[in-house]
Amino acid sequence: MTARYDTIGINYEQLRLPDHRIAAQINHALGTASTVLNVGAGTGSYEPRDRQITAVEPSIEMIRKRKPSSAPVIQASAEHLPFEDQSFDAAMGILTIHHWSDKAAGLREIRRVTRGPIVLLTFDPSHRPWLTDYLPELVALDEGQMPKMSQYAEWLGSVTIEPVLVPDNCTDGFLYAYWCRSEAYLDERIRSGSSSFWSIQGLGAGLARLSQDLETGQWHRKYRHLRDQLEYDAGYRLVIGTQLQDS
């Protein structure tokens, strides 16, 4: 089985360290579940240690990067889960659904094998974080690959949606994590930790403009309202499927 992260996950285990505040929100959403399926599990970020976790990951390179102490992992995709119906108390998927070839099929499969809540960390493509002012290509990418918030109810039935605020010192280097550390986007290594930068071309002009605005102080004048914030709503959302679909 080949998978995208066989290529782009080269710095993932260094740059994508789970943030404890985001982890706490995910853990709370999982409720009292004892057995949890983690779909698109990657290196195991955000897997609660006090629950019985079964991980599913299509990329063999990401599987190889998992620590020996990580939960058992099966190489498989969301669209084809090798489990019996209602095998797990809950399921989770962290910044993964935009990589699935068939999102509706993947969520149907997760719902099939899960008795209780389905917890998905994702991004609302209607949001426009400040980085999109410099890299408008991200808008088209997000709109093309990220489901709309309204689609989750179509796929999962009843859902609740919670904002996931990004701390100013977030340890997880996902796309918009560096909202108050804008210089980080000029670092090619930092950018390599986000799949979005592997998906768009022609970044040079936008990054040059960002570099110039940082040098001249224009960025700080334009976004001075961010200086005193400890957290930022960049558009990340926790989608929680709360009940089984009607058969």
Side-chain angles (χ1 to χ4, degrees), residues 145-161:
Q145 68 179 1
M146 292 289 185
K148 297 177 181 178
M149 293 296 101
S150 60
Q151 291 181 282
Y152 290 99
E154 297 174 11
W155 295 329
L156 290 175
S158 177
V159 299
T160 59
I161 299 176

Side-chain angles (χ1 to χ4, degrees), residues 9 23 57 63 71 78 80 82 108 125 145 161 175 180 199 202 220 225 231:
E57 168 57 43
I63 290 174
H80 304 284
R108 284 196 300 268
Q145 68 179 1
I161 299 176
L175 176 58
C180 67
S199 302
H220 297 282
H225 63 283
E231 54 190 12

Side-chain angles (χ1 to χ4, degrees), residues 196-232:
S196 294
F197 287 115
W198 292 83
S199 302
I200 57 177
Q201 298 178 345
L203 298 177
L207 292 176
R209 204 155 51 84
L210 174 59
S211 178
Q212 182 179 19
D213 282 2
L214 288 170
E215 185 176 347
T216 63
Q218 176 64 19
W219 187 93
H220 297 282
R221 288 188 292 271
K222 188 174 183 179
Y223 301 106
R224 61 167 57 95
H225 63 283
L226 298 178
R227 292 179 180 177
D228 298 326
Q229 294 183 203
L230 298 178
E231 54 190 12
Y232 174 58

Side-chain angles (χ1 to χ4, degrees), residues 3-12 59 61-62 65 99 191-196 198-199:
R4 192 177 188 214
Y5 273 87
D6 288 351
T7 301
I8 72 175
I10 53 175
N11 293 319
Y12 201 88
S59 166
E61 290 303 317
M62 297 299 280
K65 287 179 169 60
H99 295 303
R191 296 198 305 272
S192 74
S194 169
S195 64
S196 294
W198 292 83
S199 302

Side-chain angles (χ1 to χ4, degrees), residues 17-20 22-23 26 44-48 92 94 121 172 174:
L17 302 175
D19 187 273
H20 68 92
I22 297 175
I26 293 168
S45 294
Y46 300 104
E47 291 177 355
M92 57 189 284
I94 308 303
L121 176 58
D172 190 347
F174 46 76

Side-chain angles (χ1 to χ4, degrees), residues 29 118 120 152 157-162 237-242:
I118 295 173
L120 305 169
Y152 290 99
S158 177
V159 299
T160 59
I161 299 176
E162 302 175 358
R237 296 292 181 263
L238 208 63
V239 177
I240 307 167
T242 55

Side-chain angles (χ1 to χ4, degrees), residues 16 22 25 46 94-96 98 120-129 131 138 142 145-146 149 152 161-167 170 172-179 185 193-197 232-239:
R16 301 298 299 273
I22 297 175
Q25 188 172 355
Y46 300 104
I94 308 303
L95 295 175
T96 179
H98 53 291
L120 305 169
L121 176 58
T122 187
F123 177 77
D124 181 350
S126 70
H127 274 250
R128 300 290 182 268
L131 185 61
L138 291 172
D142 288 337
Q145 68 179 1
M146 292 289 185
M149 293 296 101
Y152 290 99
I161 299 176
E162 302 175 358
V164 178
L165 302 181
V166 183
C170 185
D172 190 347
F174 46 76
L175 176 58
Y176 299 117
Y178 300 98
W179 59 271
Y185 291 110
S194 169
S195 64
S196 294
F197 287 115
Y232 174 58
D233 185 356
Y236 292 96
R237 296 292 181 263
L238 208 63
V239 177

